[in-house]
Amino acid sequence: MIYRITLIGLCLLMLAGCWSRRELDELLVVVGIGVDWEEGEYLVSFQTVNPSEISMQKSTSDRPPVTLFQGRGKSVFEAARSLTAEAPRKVYMGHLQLLILSETLAKKGINDVLDGMLRDNEARMDFHIEIARGMKAEKLLKLYTPLEKLPTHSMQRSLITSEKAWAPTVSVTLDEVMNRLSGEGFELALPGIQLIGDRALSESKTNIEKFQPPSRFRYMGIAAFKEDKMIGWLSEKESKGYTDITDNLTSTSIELACGDRKYTGIEVISSKSKLETKLRNGKPEIIVHILTEANIVDSPCMDVDVTDPATINRLQEETAQVLKSNAEAAVRRAKRMKSDILGFGNKFGKEHPGYWKQVEDSWNDQYFPLAKVEFDIELYIRKTGTTGKSTLKK
Amino acid sequence: MKEYTNAKMSVRQFTILIILASIGDSILILPTITAASAKQDAWLSMVLALLLGMAAGGLFAAIANRLRGESLISAAQQRLGIWAGSTVSILFIIEFFMCGLTLMSEMGQFMTTQLMPETPVNAILLFFLSVIIIAYRYGVEAFARMSELLFPVFMSLLAVLVVFLMPQAEIENLQPIAAGGLGPIMRGAFPPFAAGFMEMVVLLMLVPHVAAKTKLTRPIISGFAIGGFLLLVIVALCVLVLGPNLMETKYYPTFVLAQKISIGNFLERLEAILAFLWVITVFFKMLLVYYSLTSGIAQLLRLKESRMLTIPLGMLLLVFTIAGTPNIAVYNEIIVRDYPWFDLSFCIALPALFLVALHLTRKRKVKGG
Amino acid sequence: MPSLIAVLAFAAGAFWLEAPGLIRRKLTKELVVFILFLLAGTAFYAALVLEVRLPNLFQIIKLVYRIDA
């Protein structure tokens, strides 16, 4: 009898709570982290949520939805702990959505920052990583954004949507970064984010009081890396080629000139790319197969008859040419930078492991720039929207 | 010894216990160890380990069939005489004890690394051990029934894991297949074979409790096969979804797998529920090991009761677990490099010798008339 | 110090839980074995709590099995 009572008592004791428990009001939920490198130290900015301000009910006070805390330290962890001197709670990384690294930090090398993130048991691997273009990361985390109450949520949503809808953006999570940095033959590339408009006004609520906020963020360009150091930005054209080759392209818009400052608009609705690697005489060759489906969405030129199959064929060829030139630009740039961000080496490693073992150490510098790259692009235009020939009088 | 042979479990419960225990703690850290040697061919290592495991299962089944309803230790005492029997028994008991230490270590480290970092490992081990002790004191039938109860839960959680991760699997991660040759694959097969299959020698202590009219070959072999197959599925899933790099880096890749589940932005962050999966398998393996240890000592010393040994043995296990794991680096190094050899000598070589001895003594008995 | 008392109290509790049953049923051999194991367990646990350096059993395995140690 006593045995049973002690058993039940033990169970109750154990189930009532655990040692490491942290109640919800002890958590400082971090949604965005910005890391800058300043004077030999890490300046880490944590954008944290004010829970009462983002609740569905009307917020009672005028406090902003997020608070930015900053800490300095020789490691990210030290910076995170140092801010407990300012913040009422200890950070909780479980809901981290965005990690923004400054360009100077990226050029120095991101391995150190990422190692801490990997080891942490609270942080997960599903947050996105970006590079702040031409500015400090903390500036981006101070931006007041319209529409979404949490700026990082807004940025993250924009990133994900933009990756699907606009070619020159690519979203990368920590596990992909990890894979690229650990493996050989596929160098890293991260999206770049920038503040446009009036930077001075970005940090206050007046930013959202106008219909068009004076200061906004925008994803611009893709940062190319070699190992863990950033070596350059890809232009918009090169970025489009990059996403196409690495099979990240879902949908985008392509314009074909059809007259004097008039462009036919083509919408890519799906795109699959495959790499085929060959070894000819011991020299590496890659064929990039791209299969794309598209629709015509805009046809301002009257002399382009979109109901004529011959026109469709012609437009298909022209669009394929555009895709090819984008992809070629990306390859040229990657070769010039001597960094295989397109994953050709990785594919070689998978299909020709013997050859890859010999060349993997000098692939980026020696073999990749000389590799022959060919494109096999198939593009099919399927539809022209809900109208055929435009009946508008011009 | 009457107290022991009265409690009976069905053949199916026996098989389920074998399945759960052969997965044991392998599911936690094994993919990392295998991937360190074999990289993307870790699944091939697992296939090899499975085949080896079946051979080990054959060995154990042969012994089990010859035990004729006695447990390993009591048979050793009876058939081999006082001196040889006791030596063999003591060696087996050492093996059981060390195996228990590794299991407790793994459990404690996993909890304090991933889920509850600020909790002192003593507390976690204490609670874990208390449940084991209580389960043991309730007897074989009780925990056999519990295993039957928890098995569908386990299988459904595993099915959830596999099915929900299917969209994220990339066949390309398996390439290049066997690029490094057979060497890395074989090196990678040794730890899973040791942890998953060799350590299952503890099942030989359960033999007197299985209500079987026929030989025990079928439950043992099928238990090994199913358990090994499930481990193969897990390792393959790790390679397909995480890729060899990530699998090698993170200490608990199955936890990362659970973290990755994301269905329609709705079913996310399920890893704590799936932690239940691992707790089940580690619990049952630890229970079998603890059972073997406690009953083994009782049978060695020919005691009429084993219940009173539970608490002192628990204390010893706790103390030496903590003493044995000053930090994770020391522990991991020994587990990966030296412990499989210890397993090989005590779980394969020793039982093989025992089998030969059983064979010989039987023949001698027959001859002697 | 308090943890040491806790350990001793725990051992005493274990003794109180098991011993009466054994004494009542006159199982002397079992009682002796129990006391021996309990003493061993308590001794080691107390050593752990008092931060006496305990042998690492895994290191012993390493010594025996490591070929190039």
Side-chain angles (χ1 to χ4, degrees):
Chain A
M1 189 59 205
I2 299 184
Y3 187 53
R4 287 222 190 107
I5 294 180
T6 31
L7 259 184
I8 296 178
L10 265 179
C11 287
L12 287 176
L13 217 75
M14 290 187 230
L15 292 174
C18 61
W19 209 287
S20 292
R21 76 170 185 281
R22 287 173 74 185
E23 302 290 341
L24 271 180
D25 61 358
E26 291 171 18
L27 296 178
L28 187 64
V29 179
V30 175
V31 287
I33 295 185
V35 186
D36 295 300
W37 177 254
E38 214 174 276
E39 293 147 25
E41 279 198 310
Y42 288 109
L43 170 67
V44 188
S45 320
F46 295 86
Q47 190 180 83
T48 64
V49 174
N50 282 333
S52 55
E53 300 305 318
I54 57 165
S55 67
M56 281 300 133
Q57 292 129 351
K58 224 164 163 11
S59 49
T60 45
S61 66
D62 228 357
R63 284 203 219 114
V66 294
T67 315
L68 192 77
F69 289 102
Q70 286 188 322
R72 282 176 194 273
K74 290 176 211 60
S75 73
V76 176
F77 183 69
E78 184 187 343
R81 281 301 169 89
S82 77
L83 67 86
T84 51
E86 287 174 31
R89 310 170 185 176
K90 200 176 89 164
V91 297
Y92 176 67
M93 303 272 223
H95 288 278
L96 184 61
Q97 288 171 354
L98 212 54
L99 173 66
I100 304 183
L101 306 171
S102 74
E103 214 177 307
T104 30
L105 182 64
K107 288 194 176 137
K108 194 172 80 71
I110 59 175
N111 263 342
D112 309 332
V113 176
L114 290 183
D115 185 71
M117 293 282 159
L118 266 179
R119 267 178 221 278
D120 194 50
N121 72 310
E122 260 180 12
R124 313 169 95 243
M125 301 223 275
D126 58 359
F127 58 89
H128 294 99
I129 305 185
E130 303 167 351
I131 307 286
R133 192 166 178 159
M135 56 179 34
K136 295 220 291 205
E138 56 166 357
K139 203 97 171 84
L140 276 157
L141 288 179
K142 291 182 185 167
L143 176 68
Y144 228 110
T145 52
L147 209 68
E148 296 274 353
K149 279 211 166 148
L150 293 176
T152 37
H153 194 57
S154 173
M155 292 175 188
Q156 193 195 36
R157 291 272 293 271
S158 168
L159 183 66
I160 298 174
T161 320
S162 171
E163 186 195 27
K164 294 200 193 111
W166 176 235
T169 320
V170 65
S171 78
V172 188
T173 53
L174 182 63
D175 47 359
E176 289 170 40
V177 172
M178 230 243 95
N179 260 328
R180 303 272 186 99
L181 288 179
S182 322
E184 300 279 348
F186 208 149
E187 300 295 329
L188 185 62
L190 293 175
I193 186 173
Q194 198 177 13
L195 217 56
I196 53 174
D198 193 341
R199 292 187 192 179
L201 289 176
S202 67
E203 301 176 20
S204 73
K205 206 164 168 199
T206 50
N207 196 33
I208 56 169
E209 282 174 1
K210 302 206 175 116
F211 284 156
Q212 187 191 35
S215 184
R216 307 172 288 288
F217 68 87
R218 195 178 173 82
Y219 284 102
M220 266 188 185
I222 293 180
F225 281 71
K226 189 164 177 179
E227 307 279 312
D228 73 318
K229 296 186 179 39
M230 190 183 114
I231 50 175
W233 290 102
L234 297 178
S235 71
E236 192 172 296
K237 190 173 160 81
E238 292 157 357
S239 306
K240 287 185 184 177
Y242 169 79
T243 45
D244 212 356
I245 298 179
T246 52
D247 203 15
N248 272 325
L249 180 63
T250 317
S251 167
T252 187
S253 130
I254 299 181
E255 302 74 40
L256 300 174
C258 67
D260 180 28
R261 276 184 285 170
K262 285 203 190 156
Y263 294 91
T264 312
I266 312 271
E267 178 198 8
V268 169
I269 52 174
S270 86
S271 173
K272 274 199 194 29
S273 79
K274 248 202 278 234
L275 297 175
E276 189 190 326
T277 55
K278 275 202 196 110
L279 271 179
R280 208 176 295 215
N281 297 336
K283 287 204 184 8
E285 271 185 27
I286 300 119
I287 306 178
V288 183
H289 298 276
I290 302 182
L291 178 61
T292 312
E293 309 245 328
N295 289 338
I296 298 181
V297 291
D298 196 0
S299 176
C301 302
M302 282 299 102
D303 51 348
V304 173
D305 181 5
V306 294
T307 55
D308 181 9
T311 320
I312 302 284
N313 279 337
R314 182 172 62 82
L315 289 175
Q316 274 178 188
E317 277 175 30
E318 285 184 24
T319 318
Q321 263 306 108
V322 172
L323 285 181
K324 184 165 174 194
S325 77
N326 284 343
E328 280 175 347
V331 173
R332 267 202 310 271
R333 186 71 199 282
K335 283 187 177 177
R336 247 203 338 263
M337 292 196 292
K338 290 206 165 86
S339 170
D340 183 5
I341 51 175
L342 303 160
F344 294 158
N346 189 36
K347 198 70 183 160
F348 266 105
K350 295 203 154 102
E351 295 187 359
H352 304 274
Y355 170 74
W356 178 244
K357 234 203 200 91
Q358 293 170 359
V359 303
E360 62 178 331
D361 292 323
S362 42
W363 173 254
N364 275 328
D365 296 311
Q366 232 178 309
Y367 293 93
F368 170 64
L370 301 172
K372 188 154 163 282
V373 184
E374 284 174 15
F375 297 94
D376 166 34
I377 304 185
E378 286 175 46
L379 185 124
Y380 299 105
I381 296 184
R382 304 285 185 200
K383 300 200 191 46
T384 62
T386 54
T387 61
K389 207 162 23 179
S390 175
T391 55
L392 298 171
K393 292 198 178 56
K394 281 277 163 69
Chain B
M1 300 299 136
K2 290 237 177 76
E3 172 198 317
Y4 303 121
T5 49
N6 267 343
K8 289 281 190 203
M9 62 169 93
S10 70
V11 172
R12 189 172 69 189
Q13 288 166 343
F14 186 51
T15 319
I16 290 178
L17 277 174
I18 296 180
I19 297 176
L20 288 177
S22 59
I23 298 178
D25 62 340
S26 306
I27 202 172
L28 283 178
I29 197 169
L30 201 70
T32 308
I33 299 177
T34 316
S37 309
K39 300 261 189 308
Q40 73 278 356
D41 297 323
W43 62 289
L44 286 172
S45 286
M46 205 53 226
V47 172
L48 187 57
L50 179 58
L51 294 172
L52 289 172
M54 304 289 273
L59 172 65
F60 295 149
I63 299 180
N65 289 332
R66 270 181 216 278
L67 286 176
R68 255 177 269 132
E70 288 181 17
S71 84
L72 184 67
I73 304 261
S74 63
Q77 297 269 323
Q78 294 209 358
R79 310 267 188 88
L80 301 184
I82 287 285
W83 293 112
S86 300
T87 324
V88 167
S89 305
I90 291 181
L91 289 175
F92 273 122
I93 288 175
I94 293 179
E95 149 66 27
F96 298 152
F97 189 74
M98 295 306 291
C99 190
L101 290 189
T102 58
L103 279 170
M104 302 249 301
S105 254
E106 290 286 341
M107 184 63 178
Q109 279 173 28
F110 172 67
M111 282 293 166
T112 51
T113 307
Q114 283 285 172
L115 295 177
M116 296 190 279
E118 289 121 27
T119 315
V121 70
N122 293 31
I124 294 179
L125 292 177
L126 203 67
F127 285 155
F128 187 59
L129 213 47
S130 316
V131 184
I132 297 268
I133 291 177
I134 293 174
Y136 175 82
R137 289 171 80 107
Y138 269 116
V140 171
E141 266 194 48
F143 63 74
R145 286 206 201 115
M146 191 62 190
S147 74
E148 221 180 352
L149 210 68
L150 284 176
F151 190 63
V153 175
F154 170 76
M155 288 303 277
S156 22
L157 283 178
L158 197 60
V160 159
L161 188 66
V162 174
V163 165
F164 284 176
L165 280 173
M166 271 309 172
Q168 300 192 33
E170 291 185 36
I171 295 280
E172 268 205 358
N173 277 335
L174 292 176
Q175 284 178 322
I177 299 190
L182 221 47
I185 296 181
M186 291 200 294
R187 263 202 310 273
F190 195 34
F193 175 46
F197 300 108
M198 285 202 239
E199 290 179 356
M200 286 305 292
V201 73
V202 295
L203 65 87
L204 292 174
M205 290 298 292
L206 283 177
V207 163
H209 298 283
V210 184
K213 298 208 179 56
T214 57
K215 291 193 174 208
L216 286 171
T217 323
R218 251 189 92 203
I220 295 181
I221 299 280
S222 56
F224 272 37
I226 298 177
F229 175 69
L230 292 176
L231 268 178
L232 175 64
V233 165
I234 299 269
V235 172
L237 200 64
C238 280
V239 180
L240 285 170
V241 175
L242 299 177
N245 291 323
L246 210 54
M247 199 170 144
E248 198 184 329
T249 314
K250 282 273 190 176
Y251 268 152
Y252 301 110
T254 38
F255 193 75
V256 180
L257 275 187
Q259 274 185 334
K260 275 196 146 226
I261 297 181
S262 169
I263 303 285
N265 261 339
F266 170 67
L267 282 174
E268 289 180 348
R269 298 177 189 252
L270 294 176
E271 62 262 17
I273 298 183
L274 286 167
F276 196 51
L277 198 77
W278 309 304
V279 174
I280 294 180
T281 52
V282 177
F283 175 77
F284 275 105
K285 184 160 179 189
M286 183 65 204
L287 191 54
L288 285 196
V289 169
Y290 186 80
Y291 176 81
S292 311
L293 184 63
T294 320
S295 309
I297 293 182
Q299 287 165 19
L300 173 65
L301 300 173
R302 294 181 210 262
L303 302 173
K304 290 205 193 60
E305 214 186 80
S306 60
R307 290 175 91 201
M308 72 278 182
L309 294 173
T310 53
I311 298 183
L313 279 176
M315 293 167 89
L316 286 170
L317 277 171
L318 188 79
V319 171
F320 283 105
T321 308
I322 297 178
T325 322
N327 59 60
I328 196 165
V330 164
Y331 174 76
N332 272 349
E333 188 204 29
I334 298 182
I335 281 290
V336 173
R337 280 185 71 175
D338 309 300
Y339 198 76
W341 298 104
F342 173 77
D343 268 348
L344 191 67
S345 24
F346 279 72
C347 300
I348 298 283
L350 189 59
L353 287 175
F354 185 66
L355 182 65
V356 167
L358 279 181
H359 212 67
L360 289 177
T361 51
R362 196 170 140 258
K363 280 207 178 132
R364 220 190 301 143
K365 268 203 183 135
V366 170
K367 272 194 199 159
Chain C
M1 201 50 210
S3 10
L4 181 64
I5 297 179
V7 167
L8 292 174
F10 185 66
F15 184 77
W16 173 79
L17 195 69
E18 301 284 0
L22 292 175
I23 298 174
R24 212 180 339 111
R25 283 177 283 166
K26 296 207 183 18
L27 298 166
T28 39
K29 185 168 155 195
E30 285 75 12
L31 188 64
V32 167
V33 169
F34 169 63
I35 292 180
L36 281 173
F37 269 101
L38 188 61
L39 281 175
T42 320
F44 280 117
Y45 209 146
L48 186 76
V49 168
L50 294 172
E51 290 174 25
V52 171
R53 186 92 191 281
L54 283 168
N56 183 345
L57 298 182
F58 292 126
Q59 294 280 27
I60 299 179
I61 292 189
K62 174 177 169 180
L63 281 170
V64 173
Y65 284 92
R66 185 71 71 95
I67 309 164
D68 49 68

